Amino acid sequence: MMRILFAMVMLAALSACGEKPQALQSSKKDASSYTGTGKAFANQDWKQGDKASWESHLKARNQYGQNDYTRMN
């Protein structure tokens, strides 16, 4: 019984050694956020590259989507 318990503990301890390294991958921050991704799945109301449209969408999202006071009342 003790050997099985010891083997299970050792197996659990050794399983932590198999974790892959999680290196920080740098992302390009060359362009401004409002320039978009160039992909078709962006919001259809927002024009990619239009800074005013970007700011108005962020303002609306913060006000109506993430503000609990306006959302719950």
Side-chain angles (χ1 to χ4, degrees):
M1 180 68 177
M2 289 299 284
R3 284 187 174 182
I4 295 173
L5 182 63
F6 180 72
M8 289 174 54
V9 169
M10 291 304 292
L11 183 63
L14 289 175
S15 67
C17 297
E19 185 176 347
K20 295 179 182 177
Q22 300 175 359
L24 179 65
Q25 297 177 358
S26 63
S27 61
K28 294 194 299 185
K29 296 288 182 183
D30 299 347
S32 300
S33 299
Y34 62 86
T35 57
T37 60
K39 305 253 191 270
F41 56 81
N43 190 349
Q44 295 162 348
D45 297 332
W46 170 61
K47 297 177 187 87
Q48 295 187 25
D50 185 12
K51 186 176 182 179
S53 174
W54 171 263
E55 290 173 349
S56 68
H57 274 296
L58 278 181
K59 187 176 182 181
R61 184 173 134 194
N62 287 335
Q63 185 63 32
Y64 301 117
Q66 296 177 347
N67 189 351
D68 287 336
Y69 292 112
T70 58
R71 193 168 45 152
M72 298 305 240
N73 293 330

